[in-house]
Amino acid sequence: MASADQLINAFTTLIVTIDPPGLAPIFLGLTTGMSRAQRTQVALRGSTIAFIILAVFALFGASVLGVLGISIGAFRIAGGLLLFWIAFEMVFERRQERKEKATEAAVTKDHIENIAVFPLALPLIAGPGAISATILLAGTLPTSVEKVQFIAVIAANLLLTFLMLLIADRLDRFLGVTGRAILTRLLGVILAALAVQFVVDGAKAALNLISATPH
């Protein structure tokens, strides 16, 4: 079974990567003109699809890496660097701008009923950062019981995200521009530290692999 520390670390990494408070204003922009019932439907569908995507990567991500001949150590380094870049964007407010641009493009191209799939579920909720974090965390929880626990953590994250989307209008008003900026930067710093830890763990695993290889 996974330790409490591992589960808390997994929950924190995913919640920071998904960034529900940062999604709130984007979700409001996506669902402009919709009724509360329609917004709820979009939020529920988007969160459910994102959960399925992340659960599939949690269960089969490591197997895919194995087929491609990529070690978990190498992926930890690559994933850690990707998460660090996302953290950098969060601290300097570039990620929000990029998400808003993706949202604008999607609204003009896609029918309103498909917004829950694209861009809400993918790439706004289950984006490259969340997928990378999911595969990395799943690699540290190898047993079946730990995988079930991890999927429960993913479900808890997506439930929290869904609830945040339901109260997006109130959350956006409560935080305001200044509050969102402070929270995004704070989460970015936390994510940067978690990303560095992934790189360190990956480097250790790679060095152990090299030292264990017969010459």
Side-chain angles (χ1 to χ4, degrees):
M1 284 183 68
S3 68
D5 284 347
Q6 283 178 303
L7 295 176
I8 291 167
N9 180 54
F11 184 87
T12 305
T13 303
L14 282 177
I15 206 70
V16 170
T17 310
I18 294 169
D19 185 21
L23 284 175
I26 298 169
F27 177 73
L28 290 175
L30 272 176
T31 55
T32 301
M34 288 189 188
S35 67
R36 188 159 185 82
Q38 287 171 324
R39 275 185 176 166
T40 301
Q41 191 178 353
V42 170
L44 180 60
R45 191 176 177 203
S47 301
T48 304
I49 293 166
F51 168 73
I52 292 167
I53 291 167
L54 294 181
V56 167
F57 275 101
L59 292 171
F60 305 111
S63 302
V64 172
L65 293 180
V67 170
L68 296 173
I70 301 169
S71 72
I72 194 67
F75 192 82
R76 276 182 188 151
I77 294 170
L81 292 174
L82 174 62
L83 292 178
F84 188 84
W85 176 250
I86 290 170
F88 177 85
E89 288 188 323
M90 287 173 76
V91 171
F92 292 97
E93 287 230 303
R94 294 182 186 176
R95 193 185 188 203
Q96 198 73 4
E97 289 170 18
R98 182 164 49 79
K99 279 185 172 183
E100 282 164 6
K101 282 178 188 172
T103 300
E104 286 165 17
V107 171
T108 57
K109 288 178 186 175
D110 290 277
H111 196 267
I112 205 160
E113 281 139 14
N114 295 324
I115 283 172
V117 181
F118 178 85
L120 185 58
L122 189 73
L124 293 179
I125 300 176
I131 290 169
S132 298
T134 298
I135 298 173
L136 289 169
L137 292 163
T140 65
L141 303 164
T143 68
S144 298
V145 174
E146 287 173 337
K147 283 278 193 291
V148 170
Q149 288 177 304
F150 182 47
I151 287 172
V153 167
I154 295 172
N157 268 278
L158 271 298
L159 177 61
L160 183 59
T161 301
F162 169 66
L163 294 174
M164 287 277 196
L165 295 180
L166 283 186
I167 59 165
D169 51 347
R170 278 171 272 175
L171 185 67
D172 195 46
R173 282 200 303 271
F174 174 73
L175 288 175
V177 176
T178 306
R180 279 202 313 272
I182 292 168
L183 187 60
T184 299
R185 283 174 168 83
L186 180 62
L187 293 175
V189 171
I190 293 169
L191 183 59
L194 290 165
V196 169
Q197 189 61 52
F198 278 131
V199 172
V200 170
D201 292 344
K204 282 180 185 172
L207 289 171
N208 287 338
L209 199 64
I210 292 166
S211 63
T213 304
H215 298 286

